[in-house]
Coordinates of all heavy atoms in Angstrom, one line a residue:
A194 N 0.2 15.4 4.0 CA -0.5 15.6 2.7 C 0.1 16.9 2.1 O 0.7 17.8 2.8 CB -2.0 15.8 3.0
P195 N 0.0 17.1 0.8 CA 0.5 18.3 0.1 C -0.1 19.6 0.8 O -1.1 19.6 1.3 CB 0.1 18.2 -1.3 CG 0.0 16.7 -1.5 CD -0.6 16.1 -0.2
G196 N 0.7 20.6 0.8 CA 0.3 21.9 1.3 C 0.5 22.1 2.8 O 0.3 23.2 3.3
G197 N 1.0 21.2 3.5 CA 1.4 21.4 4.9 C 0.4 20.8 5.9 O 0.4 21.3 7.0
I198 N -0.3 19.8 5.6 CA -1.2 19.1 6.6 C -0.5 17.8 7.0 O -0.2 17.0 6.2 CB -2.6 18.8 5.9 CG1 -3.2 20.0 5.4 CG2 -3.4 18.2 7.0 CD1 -4.4 19.7 4.5
V199 N -0.2 17.8 8.3 CA 0.6 16.6 8.9 C -0.3 16.0 9.9 O -0.8 16.6 10.8 CB 1.9 17.2 9.6 CG1 2.6 16.0 10.2 CG2 2.8 17.8 8.4
F200 N -0.3 14.6 9.8 CA -1.1 13.8 10.8 C -0.1 12.9 11.6 O 0.9 12.4 11.0 CB -2.0 12.9 10.0 CG -3.1 13.6 9.3 CD1 -3.0 13.9 8.0 CD2 -4.3 14.0 10.0 CE1 -4.0 14.6 7.3 CE2 -5.3 14.7 9.3 CZ -5.2 15.0 8.0
I201 N -0.4 12.7 12.8 CA 0.2 11.7 13.7 C -0.9 10.9 14.4 O -1.8 11.6 14.9 CB 1.2 12.3 14.6 CG1 1.9 11.3 15.5 CG2 0.6 13.4 15.6 CD1 3.1 11.8 16.3
S202 N -0.7 9.6 14.5 CA -1.7 8.9 15.1 C -1.6 8.8 16.6 O -0.4 9.0 17.2 CB -1.7 7.5 14.6 OG -0.6 6.7 15.0
R203 N -2.6 8.6 17.4 CA -2.5 8.4 18.8 C -1.6 7.2 19.1 O -0.9 7.3 20.1 CB -4.0 8.2 19.4 CG -4.0 7.9 20.9 CD -5.4 7.7 21.3 NE -6.2 6.8 20.5 CZ -6.1 5.5 20.7 NH1 -5.2 5.0 21.5 NH2 -6.8 4.7 19.9
G204 N -1.7 6.2 18.3 CA -0.8 5.0 18.5 C 0.6 5.3 18.4 O 1.4 4.8 19.3
L205 N 1.0 6.2 17.6 CA 2.5 6.6 17.4 C 2.8 7.5 18.5 O 3.9 7.4 19.2 CB 2.8 7.2 16.1 CG 4.3 7.6 15.9 CD1 5.2 6.4 16.1 CD2 4.5 8.2 14.5
L206 N 2.0 8.4 18.9 CA 2.2 9.4 20.0 C 2.4 8.6 21.3 O 3.2 9.1 22.1 CB 1.0 10.3 20.1 CG 1.2 11.6 20.9 CD1 2.2 12.5 20.3 CD2 -0.1 12.4 21.1
D207 N 1.7 7.5 21.5 CA 1.9 6.7 22.7 C 3.2 6.1 22.9 O 3.6 5.7 23.9 CB 0.8 5.6 22.8 CG -0.6 6.2 23.1 OD1 -0.7 7.4 23.5 OD2 -1.6 5.5 22.9
V208 N 4.0 6.0 21.7 CA 5.3 5.4 21.8 C 6.3 6.4 22.3 O 7.4 6.0 22.8 CB 5.7 4.9 20.3 CG1 7.2 4.4 20.3 CG2 4.8 3.8 19.8
L209 N 6.1 7.6 22.2 CA 7.0 8.7 22.4 C 7.1 9.0 23.9 O 6.1 8.8 24.6 CB 6.7 10.0 21.6 CG 6.4 9.8 20.2 CD1 6.1 11.1 19.5 CD2 7.5 9.0 19.5
D210 N 8.3 9.5 24.4 CA 8.5 9.8 25.8 C 8.8 11.3 26.0 O 9.0 11.7 27.2 CB 9.5 8.9 26.4 CG 9.1 7.5 26.5 OD1 8.0 7.3 27.0 OD2 9.8 6.6 25.9
N211 N 9.2 12.1 25.0 CA 9.5 13.5 25.3 C 9.3 14.3 24.0 O 8.9 13.8 22.9 CB 11.0 13.6 25.6 CG 12.0 13.0 24.6 OD1 12.0 13.4 23.5 ND2 12.7 11.9 25.0
E212 N 9.3 15.6 24.2 CA 9.0 16.6 23.1 C 9.9 16.5 22.0 O 9.6 16.7 20.8 CB 9.0 18.0 23.7 CG 8.4 19.0 22.8 CD 8.2 20.4 23.4 OE1 7.4 20.4 24.4 OE2 8.7 21.3 23.0
A213 N 11.2 16.2 22.2 CA 12.2 16.1 21.1 C 11.9 15.0 20.2 O 12.1 15.0 19.0 CB 13.6 15.9 21.8
E214 N 11.3 13.8 20.8 CA 11.0 12.7 19.9 C 9.7 13.1 19.0 O 9.7 12.8 17.9 CB 10.6 11.5 20.8 CG 11.9 10.9 21.4 CD 11.5 9.7 22.3 OE1 10.3 9.4 22.6 OE2 12.4 8.9 22.7
L215 N 8.8 13.8 19.6 CA 7.7 14.3 18.8 C 8.1 15.3 17.7 O 7.7 15.2 16.6 CB 6.7 15.0 19.8 CG 5.5 15.8 19.1 CD1 4.7 14.8 18.3 CD2 4.7 16.5 20.2
A216 N 9.0 16.2 18.1 CA 9.6 17.1 17.1 C 10.3 16.4 16.0 O 10.1 16.8 14.8 CB 10.6 18.1 17.8
G217 N 11.0 15.3 16.3 CA 11.6 14.5 15.2 C 10.7 13.9 14.2 O 10.9 14.0 13.0
V218 N 9.6 13.3 14.8 CA 8.6 12.7 13.9 C 7.9 13.8 13.0 O 7.8 13.6 11.8 CB 7.5 12.0 14.7 CG1 6.3 11.5 13.9 CG2 8.2 10.7 15.4
L219 N 7.5 14.9 13.6 CA 6.8 15.9 12.8 C 7.8 16.6 11.9 O 7.4 16.9 10.7 CB 6.3 17.0 13.8 CG 5.3 16.5 14.8 CD1 4.8 17.7 15.7 CD2 4.1 15.8 14.1
A220 N 9.1 16.7 12.3 CA 10.1 17.3 11.3 C 10.3 16.3 10.1 O 10.5 16.8 9.0 CB 11.4 17.5 12.0
H221 N 10.2 15.0 10.3 CA 10.3 14.1 9.2 C 9.1 14.3 8.2 O 9.4 14.4 7.0 CB 10.2 12.6 9.7 CG 10.1 11.6 8.6 ND1 11.2 11.0 8.1 CD2 9.0 11.1 8.0 CE1 10.8 10.1 7.2 NE2 9.4 10.2 7.1
E222 N 7.9 14.5 8.7 CA 6.8 14.8 7.8 C 6.9 16.1 7.2 O 6.5 16.3 6.0 CB 5.5 14.6 8.6 CG 5.3 13.2 9.2 CD 5.4 12.1 8.2 OE1 5.1 12.3 7.0 OE2 5.9 11.0 8.6
V223 N 7.4 17.2 7.9 CA 7.5 18.5 7.3 C 8.6 18.4 6.2 O 8.4 19.1 5.2 CB 8.0 19.5 8.4 CG1 8.5 20.8 7.8 CG2 6.8 19.8 9.4
G224 N 9.5 17.5 6.3 CA 10.5 17.3 5.3 C 9.9 16.9 3.9 O 10.2 17.3 2.9
H225 N 8.8 16.0 4.1 CA 8.2 15.5 2.9 C 7.4 16.7 2.3 O 7.4 16.8 1.0 CB 7.1 14.4 3.3 CG 7.7 13.1 3.5 ND1 8.6 12.5 2.7 CD2 7.5 12.2 4.6 CE1 8.9 11.3 3.2 NE2 8.3 11.2 4.3
V226 N 6.8 17.6 3.1 CA 6.1 18.7 2.5 C 7.0 19.7 1.8 O 6.8 20.2 0.7 CB 5.3 19.5 3.6 CG1 4.6 20.7 3.0 CG2 4.3 18.5 4.2
A227 N 8.2 19.9 2.5 CA 9.1 20.9 1.9 C 9.7 20.4 0.6 O 9.9 21.3 -0.3 CB 10.3 21.0 3.0
E228 N 9.9 19.1 0.4 CA 10.4 18.6 -0.9 C 9.3 18.3 -1.8 O 9.6 17.8 -2.9 CB 11.3 17.5 -0.6 CG 12.5 17.8 0.3 CD 13.4 18.9 -0.4 OE1 13.5 18.9 -1.6 OE2 14.0 19.6 0.5
K229 N 8.1 18.5 -1.4 CA 6.9 18.2 -2.3 C 6.9 16.7 -2.8 O 6.6 16.4 -3.9 CB 6.8 19.1 -3.5 CG 6.7 20.6 -3.1 CD 6.5 21.5 -4.3 CE 6.4 22.9 -4.0 NZ 6.3 23.8 -5.1
H230 N 7.3 15.8 -1.9 CA 7.4 14.4 -2.2 C 6.1 13.8 -2.7 O 6.1 13.0 -3.6 CB 8.0 13.6 -1.0 CG 9.5 13.8 -0.7 ND1 10.0 13.6 0.5 CD2 10.4 14.2 -1.6 CE1 11.3 13.9 0.4 NE2 11.6 14.3 -0.8
A231 N 5.0 14.1 -2.0 CA 3.7 13.5 -2.4 C 3.4 13.8 -3.8 O 3.0 13.0 -4.6 CB 2.6 14.0 -1.5
L232 N 3.5 15.1 -4.2 CA 3.2 15.5 -5.6 C 4.1 14.9 -6.5 O 3.7 14.4 -7.6 CB 3.3 17.0 -5.7 CG 2.3 17.8 -4.8 CD1 2.5 19.3 -5.0 CD2 0.8 17.5 -5.2
K233 N 5.4 14.8 -6.3 CA 6.3 14.1 -7.1 C 5.9 12.6 -7.3 O 6.1 12.1 -8.4 CB 7.8 14.2 -6.6 CG 8.3 15.6 -6.6 CD 9.7 15.7 -6.0 CE 10.2 17.2 -6.0 NZ 11.5 17.3 -5.3
S234 N 5.5 12.0 -6.2 CA 5.1 10.6 -6.3 C 3.9 10.4 -7.2 O 3.8 9.4 -7.9 CB 4.9 10.0 -4.9 OG 6.0 9.9 -4.2
I235 N 2.9 11.2 -7.0 CA 1.7 11.2 -7.8 C 2.0 11.3 -9.3 O 1.6 10.6 -10.2 CB 0.7 12.3 -7.4 CG1 0.2 12.0 -6.0 CG2 -0.5 12.4 -8.4 CD1 -0.6 13.1 -5.4
R236 N 2.9 12.3 -9.6 CA 3.3 12.5 -11.1 C 4.1 11.3 -11.5 O 3.9 10.8 -12.7 CB 4.2 13.7 -11.2 CG 3.3 15.0 -11.2 CD 4.2 16.2 -11.3 NE 3.4 17.4 -11.8 CZ 3.6 18.6 -11.4 NH1 4.7 18.9 -10.7 NH2 2.9 19.6 -11.9
R237 N 5.0 10.7 -10.7 CA 5.8 9.6 -11.1 C 5.0 8.4 -11.4 O 5.2 7.6 -12.3 CB 6.8 9.3 -10.0 CG 7.9 8.3 -10.3 CD 8.9 8.2 -9.3 NE 9.6 9.4 -9.0 CZ 10.5 9.7 -8.0 NH1 10.7 8.6 -7.2 NH2 11.0 10.8 -7.9

C-alpha cells in the first residue's frame, strides 16, 4: 500500500524455503512503494 505498508500472506510464506527468498518477495513490494506505483495507478 502507499506509504510503505507491505503485506505477505501466510500462504505465500509457506512456499518459501530461505531468508533470501523472503527478502526477494519483500524487495519486490518495496520497489512498488519506492516508485509510487499504486498512486500512479490510481491517477491513471
